[in-house]
Amino acid sequence: MNKNVAEIIDALAAHQDNASIEVLEELGTNSPDNEVREYTSRALVRKNVHDSLKIVIVNQGKGINDLSPAVAMSTINEILSLKDKAEVIKILDDTINMHSDESVRENARSVKSLLALS
Amino acid sequence: MRINNVGLTPNQKSANPFKTSRNSTTNPFQNVNFEGNTLQFADVFEGFQPKNTSKLKMITSSVAGSMTKLRNSITEPIVNFVKRIGEGLSNAWTYAKNKNVSDLAGVKAINEVMSTDIVDIGKGLSNSISDLGKGISEKMSFLNTDVSDIGKGISKKMSFLNTDVTDIGKGLAGKWNALISKVHSGNKITKDTSVEDLKAMWQNEIKLAEEKEAA
């Protein structure tokens, strides 16, 4: 992955406004490069806010639902390493109860089980 | 296959086909026939009678012939041969009796060596070894000169090589420093950079990557 792209993602992850989350979702999670998607998903998890966590948990093909196992597992590891897990558990519960796609619900259920065990 | 099938009864003797005939007749084709007819050229040997020669007579004539050959091969009478050998021995004895022992060739050479002083022999050996050492030293001196010249040549070559490498290194360092300064002189990416600028920079990076892949 390009060093400049990594620095840009780190800088966007340090921002507190929603505009940075939109940029990360638009350019990062839709990138064809697996490394960029993985690095962006971890940055969104580290933000630990509702809008950023929602992107990596609810959206199909992004975060824990990424087609690349490396990206999905890296995102799950980043979620498990969060100190404050309240917001992520809330989003996981909403996804398990209300999401229309069964695979997304199954992934959310698995992550919640891992959180309970950790 | 059984024996009875051949057509022989147990008491009947069959002719041995490998047994050679030693009868007195000299016709080897006597019993040869072709489809029951005796061959015509067998008549050539009829009337030929072998000679009844005594063996003792044959041995006697052989010994007599050998003696004749031996007598012809001796060109000198045995008496003259013995006489000549005796004269040779007499001459040798006379020579040995009248000759002083110290004058003999082998004894004379030994006496010369024994009369030479051992110090002189040592000097001779020393001179020979010294000459040999000088020769080797001269050869080695030429060799050392050549090696030193080779070393000087290699040193000169290596000095040129070092100069070239240094120049290359200087050139690379200059290019690298220029590249680094160019990168640092541009917009620095920090958390204080605005989201719009970060987005623009990211889009620019994506565009550069696409152009690189296209190229």
Side-chain angles (χ1 to χ4, degrees):
Chain A
M1 186 173 60
N2 191 352
K3 185 183 176 184
N4 290 339
V5 173
E7 289 180 353
I8 290 167
I9 293 171
D10 288 335
L12 288 170
H15 278 272
Q16 299 296 325
D17 54 348
N18 289 331
S20 61
I21 298 172
E22 291 174 359
V23 173
L24 287 170
E25 182 184 10
E26 180 184 353
L27 299 178
T29 57
N30 293 323
S31 173
D33 191 350
N34 287 350
E35 290 184 3
V36 173
R37 289 205 310 277
E38 177 186 345
Y39 203 75
T40 305
S41 296
R42 290 171 62 183
L44 288 169
V45 172
R46 280 198 300 271
K47 278 183 171 289
N48 200 9
V49 293
H50 179 80
D51 292 339
S52 63
L53 291 172
K54 189 180 172 182
I55 293 169
V56 296
I57 293 171
V58 175
N59 291 325
Q60 196 171 13
K62 296 180 182 179
I64 62 171
N65 303 307
D66 199 289
L67 294 176
S68 171
V71 176
M73 290 303 297
S74 181
T75 308
I76 291 168
N77 284 333
E78 198 67 35
I79 290 171
L80 294 175
S81 62
L82 286 173
K83 290 182 180 178
D84 185 7
K85 297 181 178 69
E87 188 63 31
V88 71
I89 290 172
K90 184 182 176 184
I91 295 171
L92 287 171
D93 287 337
D94 292 343
T95 305
I96 291 167
N97 295 327
M98 294 186 291
H99 204 280
S100 59
D101 193 271
E102 176 60 27
S103 62
V104 175
R105 290 202 302 269
E106 185 66 26
N107 287 335
R109 198 176 292 114
S110 300
V111 174
K112 190 179 179 183
S113 300
L114 289 171
L115 284 171
L117 293 171
S118 63
Chain B
M1 179 182 288
R2 300 178 64 181
I3 293 172
N4 292 334
N5 294 337
V6 181
L8 296 174
T9 60
N11 295 328
Q12 185 180 0
K13 289 184 179 178
S14 61
N16 187 358
F18 303 103
K19 188 176 180 180
T20 55
S21 177
R22 286 183 176 276
N23 51 18
S24 60
T25 57
T26 58
N27 185 2
F29 306 102
Q30 187 178 12
N31 297 322
V32 176
N33 57 62
F34 182 71
E35 294 181 353
N37 300 320
T38 304
L39 297 176
Q40 295 297 321
F41 51 80
D43 296 335
V44 173
F45 298 91
E46 290 180 358
F48 178 79
Q49 296 297 328
K51 287 183 178 178
N52 293 322
T53 309
S54 173
K55 286 186 179 178
L56 180 62
K57 195 174 181 180
M58 290 175 65
I59 292 168
T60 304
S61 63
S62 169
V63 170
S66 298
M67 289 293 287
T68 305
K69 287 183 179 178
L70 181 65
R71 189 174 56 193
N72 293 332
S73 64
I74 297 173
T75 57
E76 184 181 17
I78 190 67
V79 177
N80 294 340
F81 175 75
V82 171
K83 186 179 179 182
R84 189 161 52 84
I85 294 296
E87 287 177 355
L89 286 171
S90 178
N91 292 333
W93 173 248
T94 305
Y95 174 80
K97 191 171 63 178
N98 297 328
K99 195 76 173 178
N100 191 0
V101 176
S102 60
D103 293 337
L104 293 174
V107 176
K108 195 173 182 180
I110 291 168
N111 286 336
E112 286 179 357
V113 172
M114 293 299 288
S115 63
T116 306
D117 194 357
I118 192 69
V119 178
D120 294 336
I121 295 171
K123 285 179 180 176
L125 282 172
S126 177
N127 291 332
S128 298
I129 293 169
S130 177
D131 293 339
L132 181 64
K134 285 179 181 177
I136 292 171
S137 177
E138 288 175 358
K139 298 284 183 187
M140 290 299 289
S141 65
F142 283 120
L143 183 63
N144 288 332
T145 305
D146 294 337
V147 170
S148 63
D149 290 341
I150 292 167
K152 287 177 182 176
I154 291 171
S155 178
K156 287 178 181 176
K157 299 283 183 186
M158 290 298 290
S159 64
F160 283 122
L161 184 63
N162 287 332
T163 305
D164 294 337
V165 169
T166 306
D167 292 340
I168 292 168
K170 286 178 180 176
L172 283 172
K175 289 182 183 295
W176 179 255
N177 289 330
L179 182 65
I180 294 297
S181 62
K182 186 178 179 181
V183 169
H184 284 287
S185 63
N187 295 327
K188 290 185 179 180
I189 302 169
T190 61
K191 62 181 180 180
D192 296 330
T193 309
S194 64
V195 176
E196 290 76 15
D197 291 341
L198 290 171
K199 185 179 179 180
M201 292 166 68
W202 197 346
Q203 288 174 337
N204 188 35
E205 290 292 334
I206 293 170
K207 188 178 178 181
L208 289 172
E210 288 175 354
E211 288 177 357
K212 196 174 181 181
E213 285 184 2

PDB file of all heavy atoms in Angstrom, chain A residues 2 4-5 7-9 11-12 14-15 17 19-20 23 26-28, chain B residues 183 189-196 198-203 205-206:
ATOM      1  N   ASN A   2       0.411   2.239  -0.719  1.00  0.00           N
ATOM      2  CA  ASN A   2       1.164   3.482  -0.824  1.00  0.00           C
ATOM      3  C   ASN A   2       1.268   4.158   0.548  1.00  0.00           C
ATOM      4  O   ASN A   2       0.308   4.198   1.319  1.00  0.00           O
ATOM      5  CB  ASN A   2       0.452   4.406  -1.826  1.00  0.00           C
ATOM      6  CG  ASN A   2       1.306   5.607  -2.194  1.00  0.00           C
ATOM      7  OD1 ASN A   2       2.358   5.838  -1.598  1.00  0.00           O
ATOM      8  ND2 ASN A   2       0.841   6.363  -3.172  1.00  0.00           N
ATOM      9  N   ASN A   4       1.685   7.303   1.228  1.00  0.00           N
ATOM     10  CA  ASN A   4       0.868   8.522   1.288  1.00  0.00           C
ATOM     11  C   ASN A   4      -0.587   8.191   1.599  1.00  0.00           C
ATOM     12  O   ASN A   4      -1.244   8.903   2.368  1.00  0.00           O
ATOM     13  CB  ASN A   4       0.947   9.284  -0.040  1.00  0.00           C
ATOM     14  CG  ASN A   4       2.312   9.911  -0.252  1.00  0.00           C
ATOM     15  OD1 ASN A   4       3.066  10.122   0.700  1.00  0.00           O
ATOM     16  ND2 ASN A   4       2.642  10.189  -1.504  1.00  0.00           N
ATOM     17  N   VAL A   5      -1.087   7.107   1.030  1.00  0.00           N
ATOM     18  CA  VAL A   5      -2.484   6.714   1.276  1.00  0.00           C
ATOM     19  C   VAL A   5      -2.660   6.339   2.739  1.00  0.00           C
ATOM     20  O   VAL A   5      -3.665   6.699   3.375  1.00  0.00           O
ATOM     21  CB  VAL A   5      -2.873   5.548   0.349  1.00  0.00           C
ATOM     22  CG1 VAL A   5      -4.247   5.014   0.703  1.00  0.00           C
ATOM     23  CG2 VAL A   5      -2.839   5.979  -1.108  1.00  0.00           C
ATOM     24  N   GLU A   7      -0.924   7.464   5.252  1.00  0.00           N
ATOM     25  CA  GLU A   7      -0.894   8.689   6.045  1.00  0.00           C
ATOM     26  C   GLU A   7      -2.216   9.455   5.928  1.00  0.00           C
ATOM     27  O   GLU A   7      -2.717  10.027   6.918  1.00  0.00           O
ATOM     28  CB  GLU A   7       0.263   9.574   5.586  1.00  0.00           C
ATOM     29  CG  GLU A   7       1.635   9.018   5.981  1.00  0.00           C
ATOM     30  CD  GLU A   7       2.779   9.902   5.518  1.00  0.00           C
ATOM     31  OE1 GLU A   7       2.503  10.870   4.770  1.00  0.00           O
ATOM     32  OE2 GLU A   7       3.927   9.623   5.897  1.00  0.00           O
ATOM     33  N   ILE A   8      -2.799   9.443   4.744  1.00  0.00           N
ATOM     34  CA  ILE A   8      -4.096  10.124   4.551  1.00  0.00           C
ATOM     35  C   ILE A   8      -5.176   9.440   5.393  1.00  0.00           C
ATOM     36  O   ILE A   8      -5.993  10.105   6.050  1.00  0.00           O
ATOM     37  CB  ILE A   8      -4.482  10.122   3.050  1.00  0.00           C
ATOM     38  CG1 ILE A   8      -3.546  11.060   2.270  1.00  0.00           C
ATOM     39  CG2 ILE A   8      -5.934  10.544   2.855  1.00  0.00           C
ATOM     40  CD1 ILE A   8      -3.633  10.880   0.756  1.00  0.00           C
ATOM     41  N   ILE A   9      -5.178   8.108   5.405  1.00  0.00           N
ATOM     42  CA  ILE A   9      -6.177   7.370   6.186  1.00  0.00           C
ATOM     43  C   ILE A   9      -5.989   7.649   7.676  1.00  0.00           C
ATOM     44  O   ILE A   9      -6.974   7.842   8.424  1.00  0.00           O
ATOM     45  CB  ILE A   9      -6.064   5.853   5.888  1.00  0.00           C
ATOM     46  CG1 ILE A   9      -6.478   5.572   4.431  1.00  0.00           C
ATOM     47  CG2 ILE A   9      -6.943   5.053   6.844  1.00  0.00           C
ATOM     48  CD1 ILE A   9      -6.194   4.166   3.966  1.00  0.00           C
ATOM     49  N   ALA A  11      -4.710  10.312   8.986  1.00  0.00           N
ATOM     50  CA  ALA A  11      -5.134  11.692   9.240  1.00  0.00           C
ATOM     51  C   ALA A  11      -6.652  11.797   9.274  1.00  0.00           C
ATOM     52  O   ALA A  11      -7.223  12.501  10.129  1.00  0.00           O
ATOM     53  CB  ALA A  11      -4.569  12.624   8.153  1.00  0.00           C
ATOM     54  N   LEU A  12      -7.334  11.097   8.385  1.00  0.00           N
ATOM     55  CA  LEU A  12      -8.797  11.106   8.372  1.00  0.00           C
ATOM     56  C   LEU A  12      -9.349  10.406   9.619  1.00  0.00           C
ATOM     57  O   LEU A  12     -10.402  10.814  10.153  1.00  0.00           O
ATOM     58  CB  LEU A  12      -9.317  10.414   7.119  1.00  0.00           C
ATOM     59  CG  LEU A  12      -9.129  11.179   5.804  1.00  0.00           C
ATOM     60  CD1 LEU A  12      -9.470  10.281   4.605  1.00  0.00           C
ATOM     61  CD2 LEU A  12      -9.987  12.454   5.775  1.00  0.00           C
ATOM     62  N   ALA A  14      -8.044  10.500  12.483  1.00  0.00           N
ATOM     63  CA  ALA A  14      -7.868  11.409  13.620  1.00  0.00           C
ATOM     64  C   ALA A  14      -8.901  12.514  13.652  1.00  0.00           C
ATOM     65  O   ALA A  14      -9.112  13.142  14.703  1.00  0.00           O
ATOM     66  CB  ALA A  14      -6.463  12.028  13.561  1.00  0.00           C
ATOM     67  N   HIS A  15      -9.573  12.738  12.534  1.00  0.00           N
ATOM     68  CA  HIS A  15     -10.610  13.778  12.500  1.00  0.00           C
ATOM     69  C   HIS A  15     -11.856  13.284  13.214  1.00  0.00           C
ATOM     70  O   HIS A  15     -12.197  12.103  13.162  1.00  0.00           O
ATOM     71  CB  HIS A  15     -10.960  14.153  11.050  1.00  0.00           C
ATOM     72  CG  HIS A  15     -10.012  15.129  10.437  1.00  0.00           C
ATOM     73  ND1 HIS A  15     -10.184  16.503  10.547  1.00  0.00           N
ATOM     74  CD2 HIS A  15      -8.881  14.963   9.697  1.00  0.00           C
ATOM     75  CE1 HIS A  15      -9.208  17.122   9.905  1.00  0.00           C
ATOM     76  NE2 HIS A  15      -8.402  16.197   9.380  1.00  0.00           N
ATOM     77  N   ASP A  17     -15.008  14.859  12.737  1.00  0.00           N
ATOM     78  CA  ASP A  17     -16.219  15.191  11.996  1.00  0.00           C
ATOM     79  C   ASP A  17     -16.669  14.028  11.112  1.00  0.00           C
ATOM     80  O   ASP A  17     -15.896  13.119  10.772  1.00  0.00           O
ATOM     81  CB  ASP A  17     -16.018  16.461  11.159  1.00  0.00           C
ATOM     82  CG  ASP A  17     -14.802  16.350  10.268  1.00  0.00           C
ATOM     83  OD1 ASP A  17     -14.002  15.402  10.472  1.00  0.00           O
ATOM     84  OD2 ASP A  17     -14.641  17.174   9.371  1.00  0.00           O
ATOM     85  N   ALA A  19     -17.490  14.214   8.047  1.00  0.00           N
ATOM     86  CA  ALA A  19     -16.960  14.344   6.678  1.00  0.00           C
ATOM     87  C   ALA A  19     -15.804  13.375   6.460  1.00  0.00           C
ATOM     88  O   ALA A  19     -15.665  12.771   5.371  1.00  0.00           O
ATOM     89  CB  ALA A  19     -16.523  15.781   6.424  1.00  0.00           C
ATOM     90  N   SER A  20     -14.986  13.193   7.471  1.00  0.00           N
ATOM     91  CA  SER A  20     -13.848  12.259   7.337  1.00  0.00           C
ATOM     92  C   SER A  20     -14.347  10.822   7.183  1.00  0.00           C
ATOM     93  O   SER A  20     -13.765  10.027   6.415  1.00  0.00           O
ATOM     94  CB  SER A  20     -12.928  12.372   8.547  1.00  0.00           C
ATOM     95  OG  SER A  20     -13.634  12.034   9.739  1.00  0.00           O
ATOM     96  N   VAL A  23     -15.462  10.316   3.652  1.00  0.00           N
ATOM     97  CA  VAL A  23     -14.318  10.158   2.738  1.00  0.00           C
ATOM     98  C   VAL A  23     -13.728   8.758   2.863  1.00  0.00           C
ATOM     99  O   VAL A  23     -13.400   8.114   1.847  1.00  0.00           O
ATOM    100  CB  VAL A  23     -13.258  11.244   3.015  1.00  0.00           C
ATOM    101  CG1 VAL A  23     -11.996  10.972   2.199  1.00  0.00           C
ATOM    102  CG2 VAL A  23     -13.787  12.627   2.720  1.00  0.00           C
ATOM    103  N   GLU A  26     -16.128   6.423   1.144  1.00  0.00           N
ATOM    104  CA  GLU A  26     -16.186   6.606  -0.302  1.00  0.00           C
ATOM    105  C   GLU A  26     -14.928   6.103  -0.994  1.00  0.00           C
ATOM    106  O   GLU A  26     -15.012   5.379  -1.994  1.00  0.00           O
ATOM    107  CB  GLU A  26     -16.395   8.095  -0.612  1.00  0.00           C
ATOM    108  CG  GLU A  26     -16.471   8.400  -2.089  1.00  0.00           C
ATOM    109  CD  GLU A  26     -16.579   9.895  -2.363  1.00  0.00           C
ATOM    110  OE1 GLU A  26     -16.731  10.660  -1.383  1.00  0.00           O
ATOM    111  OE2 GLU A  26     -16.480  10.287  -3.539  1.00  0.00           O
ATOM    112  N   LEU A  27     -13.764   6.478  -0.478  1.00  0.00           N
ATOM    113  CA  LEU A  27     -12.507   6.133  -1.162  1.00  0.00           C
ATOM    114  C   LEU A  27     -11.826   4.890  -0.587  1.00  0.00           C
ATOM    115  O   LEU A  27     -11.134   4.184  -1.326  1.00  0.00           O
ATOM    116  CB  LEU A  27     -11.532   7.320  -1.072  1.00  0.00           C
ATOM    117  CG  LEU A  27     -12.012   8.626  -1.720  1.00  0.00           C
ATOM    118  CD1 LEU A  27     -10.971   9.734  -1.522  1.00  0.00           C
ATOM    119  CD2 LEU A  27     -12.271   8.423  -3.205  1.00  0.00           C
ATOM    120  N   GLY A  28     -12.053   4.651   0.713  1.00  0.00           N
ATOM    121  CA  GLY A  28     -11.331   3.549   1.362  1.00  0.00           C
ATOM    122  C   GLY A  28     -12.011   2.204   1.252  1.00  0.00           C
ATOM    123  O   GLY A  28     -11.411   1.233   0.760  1.00  0.00           O
TER     124      GLY A  28
ATOM    125  N   VAL B 183       9.533  15.843  -1.822  1.00  0.00           N
ATOM    126  CA  VAL B 183       8.384  15.294  -1.113  1.00  0.00           C
ATOM    127  C   VAL B 183       8.051  16.139   0.096  1.00  0.00           C
ATOM    128  O   VAL B 183       6.887  16.473   0.368  1.00  0.00           O
ATOM    129  CB  VAL B 183       8.662  13.834  -0.697  1.00  0.00           C
ATOM    130  CG1 VAL B 183       7.609  13.326   0.269  1.00  0.00           C
ATOM    131  CG2 VAL B 183       8.720  12.949  -1.932  1.00  0.00           C
ATOM    132  N   ILE B 189       1.073  15.601   5.258  1.00  0.00           N
ATOM    133  CA  ILE B 189      -0.172  14.943   5.645  1.00  0.00           C
ATOM    134  C   ILE B 189      -0.172  14.811   7.165  1.00  0.00           C
ATOM    135  O   ILE B 189       0.589  14.019   7.723  1.00  0.00           O
ATOM    136  CB  ILE B 189      -0.309  13.559   4.977  1.00  0.00           C
ATOM    137  CG1 ILE B 189      -0.254  13.719   3.455  1.00  0.00           C
ATOM    138  CG2 ILE B 189      -1.595  12.884   5.404  1.00  0.00           C
ATOM    139  CD1 ILE B 189      -0.115  12.410   2.722  1.00  0.00           C
ATOM    140  N   THR B 190      -0.982  15.569   7.807  1.00  0.00           N
ATOM    141  CA  THR B 190      -1.129  15.505   9.263  1.00  0.00           C
ATOM    142  C   THR B 190      -2.613  15.496   9.611  1.00  0.00           C
ATOM    143  O   THR B 190      -3.471  15.663   8.743  1.00  0.00           O
ATOM    144  CB  THR B 190      -0.462  16.715   9.949  1.00  0.00           C
ATOM    145  OG1 THR B 190      -1.103  17.914   9.477  1.00  0.00           O
ATOM    146  CG2 THR B 190       1.018  16.775   9.629  1.00  0.00           C
ATOM    147  N   LYS B 191      -2.881  15.313  10.906  1.00  0.00           N
ATOM    148  CA  LYS B 191      -4.281  15.307  11.340  1.00  0.00           C
ATOM    149  C   LYS B 191      -4.888  16.712  11.278  1.00  0.00           C
ATOM    150  O   LYS B 191      -6.111  16.894  11.354  1.00  0.00           O
ATOM    151  CB  LYS B 191      -4.398  14.774  12.766  1.00  0.00           C
ATOM    152  CG  LYS B 191      -3.671  15.586  13.822  1.00  0.00           C
ATOM    153  CD  LYS B 191      -3.831  14.960  15.187  1.00  0.00           C
ATOM    154  CE  LYS B 191      -3.103  15.775  16.256  1.00  0.00           C
ATOM    155  NZ  LYS B 191      -3.251  15.167  17.591  1.00  0.00           N
ATOM    156  N   ASP B 192      -4.018  17.751  11.145  1.00  0.00           N
ATOM    157  CA  ASP B 192      -4.508  19.130  11.024  1.00  0.00           C
ATOM    158  C   ASP B 192      -4.912  19.474   9.595  1.00  0.00           C
ATOM    159  O   ASP B 192      -5.528  20.515   9.361  1.00  0.00           O
ATOM    160  CB  ASP B 192      -3.430  20.110  11.494  1.00  0.00           C
ATOM    161  CG  ASP B 192      -3.116  19.928  12.978  1.00  0.00           C
ATOM    162  OD1 ASP B 192      -4.048  19.519  13.726  1.00  0.00           O
ATOM    163  OD2 ASP B 192      -1.962  20.162  13.383  1.00  0.00           O
ATOM    164  N   THR B 193      -4.558  18.630   8.680  1.00  0.00           N
ATOM    165  CA  THR B 193      -4.941  18.880   7.287  1.00  0.00           C
ATOM    166  C   THR B 193      -6.445  18.714   7.157  1.00  0.00           C
ATOM    167  O   THR B 193      -7.044  17.810   7.762  1.00  0.00           O
ATOM    168  CB  THR B 193      -4.217  17.894   6.351  1.00  0.00           C
ATOM    169  OG1 THR B 193      -2.828  17.900   6.636  1.00  0.00           O
ATOM    170  CG2 THR B 193      -4.448  18.251   4.903  1.00  0.00           C
ATOM    171  N   SER B 194      -7.039  19.576   6.382  1.00  0.00           N
ATOM    172  CA  SER B 194      -8.494  19.538   6.234  1.00  0.00           C
ATOM    173  C   SER B 194      -8.933  18.274   5.497  1.00  0.00           C
ATOM    174  O   SER B 194      -8.168  17.681   4.731  1.00  0.00           O
ATOM    175  CB  SER B 194      -8.977  20.769   5.466  1.00  0.00           C
ATOM    176  OG  SER B 194      -8.456  20.735   4.151  1.00  0.00           O
ATOM    177  N   VAL B 195     -10.183  17.899   5.745  1.00  0.00           N
ATOM    178  CA  VAL B 195     -10.722  16.690   5.119  1.00  0.00           C
ATOM    179  C   VAL B 195     -10.784  16.851   3.615  1.00  0.00           C
ATOM    180  O   VAL B 195     -10.505  15.905   2.860  1.00  0.00           O
ATOM    181  CB  VAL B 195     -12.113  16.384   5.702  1.00  0.00           C
ATOM    182  CG1 VAL B 195     -12.740  15.198   5.006  1.00  0.00           C
ATOM    183  CG2 VAL B 195     -12.032  16.153   7.190  1.00  0.00           C
ATOM    184  N   GLU B 196     -11.111  18.071   3.159  1.00  0.00           N
ATOM    185  CA  GLU B 196     -11.163  18.316   1.729  1.00  0.00           C
ATOM    186  C   GLU B 196      -9.802  18.107   1.072  1.00  0.00           C
ATOM    187  O   GLU B 196      -9.698  17.496   0.002  1.00  0.00           O
ATOM    188  CB  GLU B 196     -11.669  19.738   1.445  1.00  0.00           C
ATOM    189  CG  GLU B 196     -13.133  19.972   1.749  1.00  0.00           C
ATOM    190  CD  GLU B 196     -13.407  20.116   3.242  1.00  0.00           C
ATOM    191  OE1 GLU B 196     -12.433  20.312   4.012  1.00  0.00           O
ATOM    192  OE2 GLU B 196     -14.572  19.998   3.652  1.00  0.00           O
ATOM    193  N   LEU B 198      -7.368  16.326   2.313  1.00  0.00           N
ATOM    194  CA  LEU B 198      -7.016  14.898   2.391  1.00  0.00           C
ATOM    195  C   LEU B 198      -7.735  14.103   1.301  1.00  0.00           C
ATOM    196  O   LEU B 198      -7.140  13.205   0.677  1.00  0.00           O
ATOM    197  CB  LEU B 198      -7.396  14.346   3.773  1.00  0.00           C
ATOM    198  CG  LEU B 198      -6.547  14.853   4.954  1.00  0.00           C
ATOM    199  CD1 LEU B 198      -7.165  14.407   6.274  1.00  0.00           C
ATOM    200  CD2 LEU B 198      -5.113  14.346   4.837  1.00  0.00           C
ATOM    201  N   LYS B 199      -8.990  14.457   1.076  1.00  0.00           N
ATOM    202  CA  LYS B 199      -9.748  13.761   0.021  1.00  0.00           C
ATOM    203  C   LYS B 199      -9.121  14.021  -1.348  1.00  0.00           C
ATOM    204  O   LYS B 199      -8.973  13.096  -2.166  1.00  0.00           O
ATOM    205  CB  LYS B 199     -11.203  14.236   0.055  1.00  0.00           C
ATOM    206  CG  LYS B 199     -12.095  13.496  -0.912  1.00  0.00           C
ATOM    207  CD  LYS B 199     -13.528  13.998  -0.819  1.00  0.00           C
ATOM    208  CE  LYS B 199     -14.418  13.257  -1.817  1.00  0.00           C
ATOM    209  NZ  LYS B 199     -15.826  13.735  -1.727  1.00  0.00           N
ATOM    210  N   ALA B 200      -8.728  15.283  -1.579  1.00  0.00           N
ATOM    211  CA  ALA B 200      -8.107  15.627  -2.862  1.00  0.00           C
ATOM    212  C   ALA B 200      -6.786  14.887  -3.046  1.00  0.00           C
ATOM    213  O   ALA B 200      -6.475  14.358  -4.139  1.00  0.00           O
ATOM    214  CB  ALA B 200      -7.891  17.136  -2.938  1.00  0.00           C
ATOM    215  N   MET B 201      -6.023  14.836  -1.994  1.00  0.00           N
ATOM    216  CA  MET B 201      -4.737  14.133  -2.084  1.00  0.00           C
ATOM    217  C   MET B 201      -4.947  12.628  -2.325  1.00  0.00           C
ATOM    218  O   MET B 201      -4.215  12.005  -3.100  1.00  0.00           O
ATOM    219  CB  MET B 201      -3.950  14.351  -0.784  1.00  0.00           C
ATOM    220  CG  MET B 201      -3.482  15.798  -0.583  1.00  0.00           C
ATOM    221  SD  MET B 201      -2.916  16.153   1.083  1.00  0.00           S
ATOM    222  CE  MET B 201      -1.454  15.167   1.136  1.00  0.00           C
ATOM    223  N   TRP B 202      -5.957  12.090  -1.652  1.00  0.00           N
ATOM    224  CA  TRP B 202      -6.223  10.654  -1.827  1.00  0.00           C
ATOM    225  C   TRP B 202      -6.667  10.374  -3.271  1.00  0.00           C
ATOM    226  O   TRP B 202      -6.230   9.426  -3.906  1.00  0.00           O
ATOM    227  CB  TRP B 202      -7.292  10.218  -0.824  1.00  0.00           C
ATOM    228  CG  TRP B 202      -7.354   8.711  -0.632  1.00  0.00           C
ATOM    229  CD1 TRP B 202      -6.775   7.754  -1.414  1.00  0.00           C
ATOM    230  CD2 TRP B 202      -8.034   8.024   0.396  1.00  0.00           C
ATOM    231  NE1 TRP B 202      -7.060   6.503  -0.932  1.00  0.00           N
ATOM    232  CE2 TRP B 202      -7.839   6.649   0.200  1.00  0.00           C
ATOM    233  CE3 TRP B 202      -8.810   8.439   1.493  1.00  0.00           C
ATOM    234  CZ2 TRP B 202      -8.380   5.679   1.022  1.00  0.00           C
ATOM    235  CZ3 TRP B 202      -9.342   7.469   2.311  1.00  0.00           C
ATOM    236  CH2 TRP B 202      -9.122   6.084   2.075  1.00  0.00           C
ATOM    237  N   GLN B 203      -7.542  11.240  -3.755  1.00  0.00           N
ATOM    238  CA  GLN B 203      -7.988  11.064  -5.149  1.00  0.00           C
ATOM    239  C   GLN B 203      -6.809  11.181  -6.114  1.00  0.00           C
ATOM    240  O   GLN B 203      -6.731  10.467  -7.121  1.00  0.00           O
ATOM    241  CB  GLN B 203      -9.059  12.103  -5.471  1.00  0.00           C
ATOM    242  CG  GLN B 203     -10.394  11.827  -4.797  1.00  0.00           C
ATOM    243  CD  GLN B 203     -11.403  12.939  -4.999  1.00  0.00           C
ATOM    244  OE1 GLN B 203     -11.044  14.099  -5.266  1.00  0.00           O
ATOM    245  NE2 GLN B 203     -12.697  12.608  -4.853  1.00  0.00           N
ATOM    246  N   GLU B 205      -3.726  10.398  -5.436  1.00  0.00           N
ATOM    247  CA  GLU B 205      -2.940   9.157  -5.327  1.00  0.00           C
ATOM    248  C   GLU B 205      -3.592   8.031  -6.132  1.00  0.00           C
ATOM    249  O   GLU B 205      -2.905   7.245  -6.793  1.00  0.00           O
ATOM    250  CB  GLU B 205      -2.816   8.742  -3.848  1.00  0.00           C
ATOM    251  CG  GLU B 205      -1.933   9.648  -3.011  1.00  0.00           C
ATOM    252  CD  GLU B 205      -0.469   9.564  -3.383  1.00  0.00           C
ATOM    253  OE1 GLU B 205      -0.059   8.498  -3.914  1.00  0.00           O
ATOM    254  OE2 GLU B 205       0.268  10.542  -3.175  1.00  0.00           O
ATOM    255  N   ILE B 206      -4.928   7.985  -6.062  1.00  0.00           N
ATOM    256  CA  ILE B 206      -5.645   6.945  -6.825  1.00  0.00           C
ATOM    257  C   ILE B 206      -5.424   7.149  -8.321  1.00  0.00           C
ATOM    258  O   ILE B 206      -5.184   6.195  -9.076  1.00  0.00           O
ATOM    259  CB  ILE B 206      -7.149   6.962  -6.466  1.00  0.00           C
ATOM    260  CG1 ILE B 206      -7.346   6.521  -5.024  1.00  0.00           C
ATOM    261  CG2 ILE B 206      -7.940   6.065  -7.402  1.00  0.00           C
ATOM    262  CD1 ILE B 206      -8.766   6.744  -4.503  1.00  0.00           C
TER     263      ILE B 206
END
